[in-house]
Amino acid sequence: MSSSTAESALRRQHQILDHLRGNRPETDPKAAISHVAIYGAGIMGSGIAQVAAQSGYQVALWDVTQADLDRGIQAIRKSLTRFARKTNQPADWVQSIVSRISLTTDQLAACFSADLVIEAVVENLSIKQSLFSRLDTVAKASCVFATNTSS
């Protein structure tokens, strides 16, 4: 682990510890997060992206290929359409949610403005570590990194 990677990991650990100790600003947590980057557009990643967009966040959804992204956004549209029918949402409701999601195959660009990064990639620890290591070089210092597991 390089010196800068170790320093960054230590900085993020201190931020988490401060938060857990109650040393955090008296603000609405939602106000601190406006942009969410989701890595992986499979079942879990697209589901997380949908919930984040439905909650009002701007979402960058990343995956390796455009075909993977197309499948992910298609699943989101299908899920939202089904929900809209069941709950009598206005005609433009689905599009208003989907419009908060941007798709990209540019791994680093997805997290430039992110306040929260959630990875939902393949269950391989070295891939997850490598992803976070790369993202840490461009993410804001205040960005929170989170991991997801389907196992």
Side-chain angles (χ1 to χ4, degrees):
M1 184 180 290
S2 75
S3 170
S4 64
T5 302
E7 289 170 8
S8 178
L10 187 59
R11 183 186 75 248
R12 291 186 195 282
Q13 285 177 338
H14 283 293
Q15 289 171 336
I16 291 167
L17 288 173
D18 281 347
H19 179 80
L20 292 173
R21 289 182 187 125
N23 301 332
R24 51 192 176 269
E26 297 297 322
T27 59
D28 176 8
K30 235 179 154 177
I33 298 174
S34 62
H35 289 78
V36 180
I38 311 293
Y39 285 82
I43 293 169
M44 291 295 262
S46 62
I48 295 167
Q50 176 183 330
V51 170
Q54 276 183 265
S55 298
Y57 296 105
Q58 292 298 312
V59 176
L61 182 59
W62 172 89
D63 214 313
V64 176
T65 69
Q66 187 61 47
D68 292 331
L69 290 167
D70 291 342
R71 279 189 294 277
I73 200 71
Q74 182 180 19
I76 291 169
R77 283 183 194 279
K78 183 178 178 181
S79 174
L80 288 170
T81 300
R82 189 172 44 245
F83 182 81
R85 267 186 263 156
K86 288 181 180 180
T87 59
N88 296 316
Q89 297 296 326
D92 64 342
W93 184 79
V94 171
Q95 185 53 39
S96 72
I97 304 298
V98 171
S99 70
R100 293 188 192 114
I101 303 171
S102 61
L103 307 177
T104 185
T105 57
D106 185 334
Q107 195 175 69
L108 297 180
C111 84
F112 284 143
S113 62
D115 303 300
L116 172 64
V117 167
I118 303 171
E119 72 74 20
V121 298
V122 65
E123 291 301 315
N124 179 312
L125 183 58
S126 65
I127 290 173
K128 292 174 184 274
Q129 289 172 327
S130 177
L131 172 67
F132 279 161
S133 189
R134 279 192 304 280
L135 298 181
D136 193 42
T137 65
V138 297
K140 298 189 289 189
S142 61
C143 183
V144 175
F145 284 42
T147 187
N148 175 65
T149 183
S150 57
S151 296

